Amino acid sequence: RGFVFGRINSFYTLRTGYIHHSILYDKTDQGSVSISWLASGGLSLGLLKPIYLQVNKFTSDDPDPRLYVERYDGTNQFSRINGEANFFVGIDEIKLRPGIYAKGGLEFDYQLLDKKITSVEVGAIYDYYFAEVPIFFEENEDINWSGFFQLYLAVNFGYKKN
């Protein structure tokens, strides 16, 4: 099981919002490419889940190590870390972080057949949360972020049904 030193929380985002799609250059022939502008914005909900680790501990009475699950807070001194605990450990401690997002991008639609959907989308997303989101341990707690910038690339494919 993986473990990232210093990461005290996992963060997941759910988004809902309004999407505007406008065609900049339409296809003239089959086999050509259309270019569209996509813009969206709305509400985002962040889920902040604490990290728990599986650790081996030795006691003076028993020389064989025992496996324990403990919450990681960045200051723990573990001699033997086996990795992260099961995903569901700490699920009852999830904190909600409400926020907003804005997303913009370009879509390149190059479908060759009328019944097929094939396109590539590239763009950027900015999420802003109304409270700090501590993902990594920091000595100075004023450093935690509440805004996140992302670049994305999406490949869309499928079929149309009537």
Side-chain angles (χ1 to χ4, degrees):
R1 296 183 177 265
F3 164 66
V4 178
F5 181 77
R7 188 178 70 165
I8 57 174
N9 291 304
S10 294
F11 191 64
Y12 306 96
T13 302
L14 303 171
R15 295 185 188 102
T16 184
Y18 174 77
I19 299 174
H20 176 73
H21 182 260
S22 61
I23 298 174
L24 300 175
Y25 300 102
D26 203 1
K27 288 184 181 185
T28 54
D29 306 330
Q30 189 170 356
S32 62
V33 176
S34 73
I35 301 173
S36 302
W37 166 252
L38 298 167
S40 69
L43 302 174
S44 63
L45 180 64
L47 306 173
L48 193 64
K49 182 189 159 303
I51 298 289
Y52 279 84
L53 299 178
Q54 289 183 340
V55 295
N56 288 326
K57 284 193 176 179
F58 296 92
T59 60
S60 58
D61 301 336
D62 189 5
D64 292 331
R66 300 274 184 215
L67 190 62
Y68 293 94
V69 174
E70 291 190 14
R71 183 171 180 179
Y72 182 60
D73 64 4
T75 61
N76 307 57
Q77 298 296 323
F78 299 126
S79 59
R80 300 217 180 230
I81 298 173
N82 283 355
E84 287 190 23
N86 186 322
F87 173 80
F88 296 103
V89 175
I91 200 115
D92 56 336
E93 298 176 45
I94 286 180
K95 295 178 184 172
L96 301 178
R97 295 287 193 259
I100 55 176
Y101 82 96
K103 176 180 174 180
L106 291 172
E107 179 185 47
F108 302 92
D109 184 357
Y110 57 92
Q111 69 187 31
L112 301 174
L113 304 171
D114 288 336
K115 293 201 174 230
K116 253 184 143 176
I117 299 170
T118 48
S119 67
V120 173
E121 185 180 332
V122 62
I125 305 170
Y126 184 74
D127 287 290
Y128 179 78
Y129 297 95
F130 302 122
E132 289 183 344
V133 180
I135 297 175
F136 284 92
F137 171 73
E138 297 289 342
E139 295 273 341
N140 181 359
E141 298 215 3
D142 296 334
I143 308 176
N144 289 318
W145 299 92
S146 57
F148 298 93
F149 179 76
Q150 304 166 40
L151 297 175
Y152 74 92
L153 173 71
V155 179
N156 304 310
F157 56 91
Y159 291 95
K160 294 180 187 176
K161 271 189 155 182
N162 289 338

